[in-house]
Protein backbone atom coordinates (compact mmCIF):
# COMPACT_ATOMS: atom_id res chain seq x y z
CA UNK A 1 0.00 0.00 0.00
CA UNK A 2 2.12 2.74 -1.38
CA UNK A 3 2.20 6.36 -0.35
CA UNK A 4 4.20 8.79 -2.42
CA UNK A 5 6.90 10.48 -0.35
CA UNK A 6 7.39 14.19 -0.77
CA UNK A 7 10.18 15.00 -3.11
CA UNK A 8 13.01 16.23 -2.02
CA UNK A 9 -11.11 29.65 10.00
CA UNK A 10 -10.29 33.46 10.47
CA UNK A 11 -8.98 35.25 13.53
CA UNK A 12 -12.38 34.88 15.15
CA UNK A 13 -11.47 31.31 15.86
CA UNK A 14 -8.63 32.39 18.11
CA UNK A 15 -11.06 33.86 20.66
CA UNK A 16 -12.47 30.39 21.17
CA UNK A 17 -9.18 28.52 21.34
CA UNK A 18 -9.03 28.28 25.17
CA UNK A 19 -12.53 26.78 25.18
CA UNK A 20 -11.58 24.31 22.46
CA UNK A 21 -8.37 23.38 24.20
CA UNK A 22 -10.27 22.71 27.41
CA UNK A 23 -12.70 20.46 25.57
CA UNK A 24 -9.91 18.45 23.99
CA UNK A 25 -7.86 18.17 27.15
CA UNK A 26 -10.78 16.57 29.00
CA UNK A 27 -9.90 13.37 27.21
CA UNK A 28 -6.32 13.09 26.13
CA UNK A 29 -6.56 9.37 25.35
CA UNK A 30 -5.88 9.62 21.63
CA UNK A 31 -3.01 12.05 22.10
CA UNK A 32 -1.48 9.93 24.85
CA UNK A 33 -1.65 6.92 22.55
CA UNK A 34 -0.25 8.88 19.63
CA UNK A 35 2.68 10.06 21.73
CA UNK A 36 3.43 6.56 22.97
CA UNK A 37 3.45 5.19 19.42
CA UNK A 38 5.08 7.91 17.35
CA UNK A 39 6.64 10.63 19.52
CA UNK A 40 10.16 10.00 20.73
CA UNK A 41 11.42 11.38 24.03
CA UNK A 42 13.59 13.86 22.16
CA UNK A 43 10.59 15.38 20.33
CA UNK A 44 10.87 13.66 16.96
CA UNK A 45 7.68 12.25 15.43
CA UNK A 46 8.49 8.94 13.79
CA UNK A 47 7.02 7.88 10.47
CA UNK A 48 6.63 4.20 11.16
CA UNK A 49 5.77 3.41 7.53
CA UNK A 50 8.85 4.98 6.01
CA UNK A 51 11.90 3.55 7.76
CA UNK A 52 11.22 5.47 10.98
CA UNK A 53 12.25 8.73 9.38
CA UNK A 54 11.09 12.07 10.72
CA UNK A 55 9.95 14.90 8.50
CA UNK A 56 8.56 18.40 8.72
CA UNK A 57 5.05 17.11 7.97
CA UNK A 58 5.10 14.90 11.03
CA UNK A 59 6.58 17.61 13.24
CA UNK A 60 3.83 20.01 12.16
CA UNK A 61 1.17 17.39 12.89
CA UNK A 62 2.70 16.82 16.31
CA UNK A 63 2.68 20.55 17.10
CA UNK A 64 -0.97 20.84 16.10
CA UNK A 65 -2.01 17.80 18.12
CA UNK A 66 -0.08 18.92 21.20
CA UNK A 67 -1.76 22.32 20.94
CA UNK A 68 -5.22 20.79 20.54
CA UNK A 69 -4.71 18.78 23.72
CA UNK A 70 -3.16 21.72 25.60
CA UNK A 71 0.08 19.81 26.06
CA UNK A 72 2.63 22.61 26.20
CA UNK A 73 5.44 20.36 27.35
CA UNK A 74 5.11 18.16 24.27
CA UNK A 75 4.63 21.21 22.06
CA UNK A 76 7.92 22.66 23.32
CA UNK A 77 9.72 19.36 22.96
CA UNK A 78 8.55 18.88 19.37
CA UNK A 79 9.39 22.45 18.48
CA UNK A 80 12.88 22.28 19.97
CA UNK A 81 13.76 19.08 18.10
CA UNK A 82 12.43 20.61 14.91
CA UNK A 83 14.46 23.78 15.33
CA UNK A 84 17.58 21.85 16.29
CA UNK A 85 17.42 19.29 13.49
CA UNK A 86 15.30 20.54 10.57
CA UNK A 87 15.60 24.33 10.57
CA UNK A 88 17.46 25.75 7.60
CA UNK A 89 18.94 29.15 8.56
CA UNK A 90 19.60 29.96 4.93
CA UNK A 91 15.96 29.77 3.81
CA UNK A 92 14.16 30.19 7.14
CA UNK A 93 12.24 27.02 6.32
CA UNK A 94 12.74 23.39 7.36
CA UNK A 95 14.40 20.46 5.67
CA UNK A 96 11.67 18.05 4.68
CA UNK A 97 13.33 14.86 5.85
CA UNK A 98 15.47 13.56 8.68
CA UNK A 99 16.70 10.03 7.99
CA UNK A 100 18.31 8.75 11.20
CA UNK A 101 20.05 5.82 9.55
CA UNK A 102 21.90 7.94 7.02
CA UNK A 103 25.37 9.36 7.55
CA UNK A 104 23.89 12.80 6.87
CA UNK A 105 20.24 12.64 8.03
CA UNK A 106 19.37 15.93 6.30
CA UNK A 107 21.39 15.55 3.13
CA UNK A 108 18.37 16.63 1.09
CA UNK A 109 18.01 20.33 1.88
CA UNK A 110 14.70 20.78 0.09
CA UNK A 111 11.72 21.78 2.20
CA UNK A 112 8.10 20.59 2.12
CA UNK A 113 5.75 23.56 2.02
CA UNK A 114 2.85 21.77 3.69
CA UNK A 115 5.00 21.03 6.71
CA UNK A 116 6.16 24.64 6.91
CA UNK A 117 2.65 26.01 6.36
CA UNK A 118 1.05 23.78 8.99
CA UNK A 119 3.88 24.60 11.40
CA UNK A 120 3.31 28.33 10.94
CA UNK A 121 -0.41 27.82 11.59
CA UNK A 122 0.25 25.80 14.74
CA UNK A 123 2.66 28.46 16.02
CA UNK A 124 0.13 31.21 15.28
CA UNK A 125 -2.53 29.35 17.24
CA UNK A 126 -0.07 28.61 20.05
CA UNK A 127 0.80 32.29 20.47
CA UNK A 128 -2.82 32.99 21.33
CA UNK A 129 -3.60 29.80 23.22
CA UNK A 130 -0.50 29.92 25.43
CA UNK A 131 -0.41 33.74 25.57
CA UNK A 132 3.16 33.64 24.35
CA UNK A 133 4.17 36.26 21.76
CA UNK A 134 7.37 34.34 21.02
CA UNK A 135 5.32 31.70 19.23
CA UNK A 136 3.54 34.42 17.26
CA UNK A 137 6.85 35.92 16.16
CA UNK A 138 8.08 32.52 15.01
CA UNK A 139 4.85 32.03 13.06
CA UNK A 140 5.29 35.39 11.38
CA UNK A 141 8.91 34.69 10.45
CA UNK A 142 8.04 31.29 9.02
CA UNK A 143 5.10 32.77 7.12
CA UNK A 144 7.41 35.37 5.62
CA UNK A 145 9.86 32.69 4.51
CA UNK A 146 7.03 30.75 2.87
CA UNK A 147 5.90 33.92 1.12
CA UNK A 148 9.41 34.75 -0.06
CA UNK A 149 10.61 31.30 -1.09
CA UNK A 150 7.61 29.06 -1.84
CA UNK A 151 5.17 31.16 -3.84
CA UNK A 152 5.12 32.01 -7.51
CA UNK A 153 2.84 33.75 -9.99
CA UNK A 154 2.61 31.54 -13.04
CA UNK A 155 0.01 31.00 -15.73
CA UNK A 156 -2.23 33.63 -14.19
CA UNK A 157 -2.30 31.80 -10.88
CA UNK A 158 -0.70 32.31 -7.48
CA UNK A 159 0.82 28.95 -6.65
CA UNK A 160 2.38 27.32 -3.60
CA UNK A 161 5.50 25.48 -4.62
CA UNK A 162 5.76 22.07 -2.91
CA UNK A 163 9.40 22.89 -2.17
CA UNK A 164 12.04 25.43 -3.08
CA UNK A 165 13.79 23.04 -5.44
CA UNK A 166 12.63 20.89 -8.36
CA UNK A 167 9.07 22.11 -8.92
CA UNK A 168 9.46 25.38 -10.84
CA UNK A 169 10.30 24.20 -14.35
CA UNK A 170 10.93 26.31 -17.43
CA UNK A 171 7.56 25.71 -19.02
CA UNK A 172 5.48 24.50 -16.08
CA UNK A 173 5.08 24.42 -12.32
CA UNK A 174 4.34 21.21 -10.46
CA UNK A 175 1.99 21.57 -7.48
CA UNK A 176 0.58 19.23 -4.88
CA UNK A 177 -3.04 20.27 -4.15
CA UNK A 178 -2.96 18.57 -0.75
CA UNK A 179 -0.44 21.21 0.35
CA UNK A 180 -3.23 23.83 0.12
CA UNK A 181 -4.13 23.86 3.81
CA UNK A 182 -7.01 26.30 3.34
CA UNK A 183 -7.77 27.13 7.01
CA UNK A 184 -4.08 27.83 7.59
CA UNK A 185 -3.86 30.11 4.58
CA UNK A 186 -6.99 31.97 5.65
CA UNK A 187 -5.76 32.52 9.22
CA UNK A 188 -2.31 33.60 8.06
CA UNK A 189 -3.89 36.06 5.63
CA UNK A 190 -6.04 37.52 8.42
CA UNK A 191 -3.11 37.80 10.83
CA UNK A 192 -0.31 39.01 8.58
CA UNK A 193 -2.44 41.11 6.21
CA UNK A 194 -0.15 39.91 3.47
CA UNK A 195 -2.01 39.77 0.18
CA UNK A 196 -0.01 36.74 -0.89
CA UNK A 197 -1.77 34.47 1.61
CA UNK A 198 -5.21 35.64 0.56
CA UNK A 199 -4.16 35.10 -3.05
CA UNK A 200 -2.97 31.58 -2.22
CA UNK A 201 -6.27 30.91 -0.41
CA UNK A 202 -8.47 32.25 -3.21
CA UNK A 203 -6.42 30.86 -6.07
CA UNK A 204 -6.08 27.57 -4.25
CA UNK A 205 -9.83 27.16 -4.18
CA UNK A 206 -10.00 28.17 -7.83
CA UNK A 207 -7.37 25.59 -8.73
CA UNK A 208 -9.35 22.87 -6.96
CA UNK A 209 -12.51 23.97 -8.78
CA UNK A 210 -10.74 24.06 -12.14
CA UNK A 211 -9.44 20.54 -11.56
CA UNK A 212 -13.07 19.41 -11.33
CA UNK A 213 -13.68 20.77 -14.83
CA UNK A 214 -10.77 19.35 -16.82
CA UNK A 215 -11.18 16.30 -19.02
CA UNK A 216 -10.60 13.50 -16.55
CA UNK A 217 -12.37 10.15 -16.39
CA UNK A 218 -12.75 10.58 -12.61
CA UNK A 219 -13.35 14.11 -11.28
CA UNK A 220 -11.11 13.85 -8.25
CA UNK A 221 -7.98 15.83 -7.46
CA UNK A 222 -4.77 14.12 -8.59
CA UNK A 223 -1.89 13.80 -6.15
CA UNK A 224 0.37 15.92 -8.35
CA UNK A 225 -0.65 18.53 -10.91
CA UNK A 226 1.10 20.23 -13.81
CA UNK A 227 0.35 23.93 -14.37
CA UNK A 228 1.50 25.18 -17.77
CA UNK A 229 2.32 28.74 -18.81
CA UNK A 230 -1.29 29.33 -19.84
CA UNK A 231 -2.55 28.14 -16.46
CA UNK A 232 -3.96 24.89 -17.84
CA UNK A 233 -4.00 21.93 -15.48
CA UNK A 234 -3.27 18.25 -15.95
CA UNK A 235 -2.00 15.34 -13.87
CA UNK A 236 1.77 15.66 -13.57
CA UNK A 237 3.48 13.19 -15.87
CA UNK A 238 6.24 12.41 -13.37
CA UNK A 239 3.82 10.45 -11.15
CA UNK A 240 0.97 8.00 -11.74
CA UNK A 241 -2.20 10.01 -12.43
CA UNK A 242 -3.74 8.91 -9.17
CA UNK A 243 -5.91 10.45 -6.51
CA UNK A 244 -4.40 8.67 -3.60
CA UNK A 245 -2.57 9.03 -0.30
CA UNK A 246 -1.62 12.66 -0.90
CA UNK A 247 -4.85 13.93 -2.45
CA UNK A 248 -7.00 12.41 0.32
CA UNK A 249 -6.02 15.45 2.39
CA UNK A 250 -7.68 17.82 -0.12
CA UNK A 251 -11.26 17.13 1.05
CA UNK A 252 -10.04 17.10 4.66
CA UNK A 253 -8.66 20.63 4.43
CA UNK A 254 -11.59 21.86 2.32
CA UNK A 255 -14.00 20.54 4.96
CA UNK A 256 -11.91 22.06 7.75
CA UNK A 257 -12.23 25.42 6.02
CA UNK A 258 -15.90 25.11 4.96
CA UNK A 259 -17.97 21.94 5.50
CA UNK A 260 -20.53 23.20 2.97
CA UNK A 261 -18.01 23.91 0.21
CA UNK A 262 -19.13 22.80 -3.28
CA UNK A 263 -15.58 21.53 -3.76
CA UNK A 264 -16.57 18.52 -1.65
CA UNK A 265 -19.31 17.38 -4.07
CA UNK A 266 -17.15 15.16 -6.32
CA UNK A 267 -15.58 13.48 -3.31
CA UNK A 268 -18.97 12.78 -1.73
CA UNK A 269 -20.24 11.41 -5.02
CA UNK A 270 -17.19 9.17 -5.41
CA UNK A 271 -17.31 7.83 -1.87
CA UNK A 272 -21.08 7.21 -2.02
CA UNK A 273 -20.64 5.06 -5.14
CA UNK A 274 -18.93 2.31 -3.13
CA UNK A 275 -19.86 0.28 -0.06
CA UNK A 276 -18.15 1.85 2.95
CA UNK A 277 -15.60 -0.89 3.39
CA UNK A 278 -14.96 -1.44 -0.31
CA UNK A 279 -13.95 2.05 -1.36
CA UNK A 280 -10.69 1.62 -3.28
CA UNK A 281 -7.61 3.18 -1.77
CA UNK A 282 -6.76 5.03 -4.97
CA UNK A 283 -8.08 5.72 -8.44
CA UNK A 284 -6.29 6.67 -11.61
CA UNK A 285 -8.18 9.81 -12.63
CA UNK A 286 -7.22 9.37 -16.28
CA UNK A 287 -8.02 5.70 -16.84
CA UNK A 288 -10.44 4.95 -13.99
CA UNK A 289 -8.29 2.06 -12.78
CA UNK A 290 -8.68 1.52 -9.05
CA UNK A 291 -6.65 -0.13 -6.32
CA UNK A 292 -7.54 -3.73 -5.61
CA UNK A 293 -7.61 -2.97 -1.87
CA UNK A 294 -9.83 -0.69 0.20
CA UNK A 295 -9.12 2.62 1.89
CA UNK A 296 -6.86 2.24 4.87
CA UNK A 297 -8.39 3.37 8.21
CA UNK A 298 -6.89 6.86 8.07
CA UNK A 299 -8.12 7.48 4.55
CA UNK A 300 -11.52 6.05 5.51
CA UNK A 301 -11.74 8.62 8.31
CA UNK A 302 -11.65 11.37 5.68
CA UNK A 303 -14.47 9.66 3.82
CA UNK A 304 -16.49 9.49 7.05
CA UNK A 305 -15.79 13.15 7.86
CA UNK A 306 -17.01 14.59 4.59
CA UNK A 307 -19.94 12.21 4.11
CA UNK A 308 -21.46 13.07 7.50
CA UNK A 309 -20.56 9.98 9.48
CA UNK A 310 -19.75 11.06 13.06
CA UNK A 311 -16.02 11.15 13.70
CA UNK A 312 -15.16 10.07 17.23
CA UNK A 313 -11.87 10.51 19.00
CA UNK A 314 -9.73 7.79 17.51
CA UNK A 315 -8.20 4.85 19.29
CA UNK A 316 -4.82 3.70 18.04
CA UNK A 317 -3.03 0.40 18.26
CA UNK A 318 0.45 -0.63 17.29
CA UNK A 319 -1.09 -1.82 14.00
CA UNK A 320 -1.70 1.80 12.98
CA UNK A 321 1.12 3.46 11.11
CA UNK A 322 2.01 7.11 11.63
CA UNK A 323 0.21 8.48 8.56
CA UNK A 324 -3.10 6.70 9.12
CA UNK A 325 -3.09 7.66 12.79
CA UNK A 326 -2.35 11.26 11.87
CA UNK A 327 -5.20 11.37 9.37
CA UNK A 328 -7.60 10.02 11.99
CA UNK A 329 -6.59 12.68 14.50
CA UNK A 330 -6.65 15.45 11.90
CA UNK A 331 -10.21 14.44 10.99
CA UNK A 332 -11.19 14.54 14.66
CA UNK A 333 -9.82 18.07 14.97
CA UNK A 334 -11.57 19.15 11.78
CA UNK A 335 -14.86 17.64 12.93
CA UNK A 336 -14.56 19.62 16.17
CA UNK A 337 -13.69 22.84 14.26
CA UNK A 338 -10.34 23.22 16.01
Amino acid sequence: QERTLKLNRSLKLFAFLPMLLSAFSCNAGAWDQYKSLYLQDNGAVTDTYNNNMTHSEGQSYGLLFALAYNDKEAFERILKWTEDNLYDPESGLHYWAYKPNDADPTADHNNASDGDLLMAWALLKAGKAFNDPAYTRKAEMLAQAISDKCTVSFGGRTLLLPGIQSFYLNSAVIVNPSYLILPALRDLAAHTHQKIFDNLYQDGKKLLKDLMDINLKVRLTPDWVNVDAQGSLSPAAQWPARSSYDAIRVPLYVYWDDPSSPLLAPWRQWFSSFPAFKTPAWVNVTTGETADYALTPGLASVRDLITGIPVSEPVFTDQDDYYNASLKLLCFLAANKF
Side-chain angles (χ1 to χ4, degrees):
Q1 299 178 351
E2 64 274 35
R3 177 191 170 218
T4 304
L5 282 171
K6 300 180 183 68
L7 282 184
N8 289 347
R9 197 193 272 200
S10 61
L11 283 177
K12 290 181 181 179
L13 175 61
F14 292 166
F16 298 101
L17 266 174
M19 185 185 306
L20 287 169
L21 291 171
S22 176
F24 276 104
S25 61
C26 287
N27 180 8
W31 175 230
D32 285 343
Q33 286 185 318
Y34 190 97
K35 287 190 293 184
S36 69
L37 291 168
Y38 316 112
L39 180 60
Q40 299 178 31
D41 290 342
N42 63 6
V45 177
T46 300
D47 185 340
T48 56
Y49 187 75
N50 287 303
N51 298 315
N52 291 326
M53 66 180 289
T54 295
H55 36 83
S56 59
E57 171 200 274
Q59 296 306 103
S60 67
Y61 290 163
L63 289 172
L64 197 64
F65 299 154
L67 178 63
Y69 283 89
N70 199 22
D71 188 346
K72 189 173 183 181
E73 183 279 328
F75 188 94
E76 284 279 8
R77 182 155 42 104
I78 296 166
L79 182 61
K80 185 178 188 308
W81 187 94
T82 305
E83 292 177 338
D84 288 348
N85 295 278
L86 294 181
Y87 181 70
D88 176 11
E90 183 175 343
S91 68
L93 301 166
H94 298 86
Y95 305 136
W96 82 276
Y98 184 94
K99 302 178 180 180
N101 298 321
D102 289 5
D104 182 356
T106 57
D108 185 347
H109 284 186
N110 209 5
N111 73 308
S113 299
D114 63 330
D116 284 311
L117 180 57
L118 196 60
M119 206 177 298
W121 191 35
L123 286 163
L124 190 62
K125 286 174 172 282
K128 182 69 175 181
F130 295 140
N131 191 28
D132 190 336
Y135 292 137
T136 306
R137 288 193 295 270
K138 290 183 182 208
E140 293 166 347
M141 291 174 63
L142 184 50
Q144 187 64 56
I146 294 168
S147 172
D148 291 344
K149 305 293 199 311
C150 301
T151 64
V152 63
S153 294
F154 189 85
R157 301 176 185 272
T158 303
L159 302 173
L160 179 68
L161 295 171
I164 296 177
Q165 305 169 16
S166 306
F167 299 101
Y168 194 174
L169 313 178
N170 289 332
S171 59
V173 170
I174 306 299
V175 298
N176 187 315
S178 75
Y179 286 23
L180 293 168
I181 308 171
L182 296 179
L185 291 170
R186 186 166 73 176
D187 284 354
L188 286 170
H191 177 80
T192 66
H193 304 288
Q194 287 197 34
K195 185 65 175 174
I196 187 67
F197 289 108
D198 186 59
N199 288 345
L200 285 170
Y201 175 73
Q202 301 295 345
D203 280 15
K205 290 192 293 183
K206 184 178 186 300
L207 183 143
L208 296 177
K209 180 182 182 300
D210 290 348
L211 282 169
M212 294 163 51
D213 298 330
I214 65 176
N215 187 25
L216 295 175
K217 191 175 185 66
V218 179
R219 295 173 66 240
L220 296 182
T221 310
D223 289 335
W224 295 91
V225 172
N226 183 88
V227 185
D228 70 15
Q230 287 71 48
S232 298
L233 309 175
S234 60
Q238 297 92 329
W239 293 267
R242 292 176 179 175
S243 184
S244 180
Y245 289 81
D246 274 307
I248 194 68
R249 294 175 294 188
V250 169
L252 164 62
Y253 294 140
V254 170
Y255 182 97
W256 206 330
D257 180 59
D258 179 9
S260 63
S261 173
L263 295 172
L264 294 171
W267 294 93
R268 288 171 171 151
Q269 182 178 2
W270 173 257
F271 290 140
S272 67
S273 66
F274 297 93
F277 298 104
K278 293 186 178 180
T279 308
W282 55 259
V283 58
N284 186 303
V285 297
T286 301
T287 67
E289 176 194 7
T290 59
D292 59 3
Y293 50 90
L295 293 173
T296 58
L299 278 65
S301 66
V302 179
R303 177 203 62 203
D304 292 348
L305 175 71
I306 70 167
T307 57
I309 298 174
V311 176
S312 302
E313 186 175 26
V315 175
F316 308 124
T317 71
D318 56 7
Q319 298 304 306
D320 286 301
D321 65 35
Y322 142 84
Y323 188 61
N324 279 276
S326 297
L327 283 177
K328 290 179 183 180
L329 203 43
L330 287 169
C331 286
F332 180 60
L333 267 59
N336 284 275
K337 300 178 175 61
F338 176 72

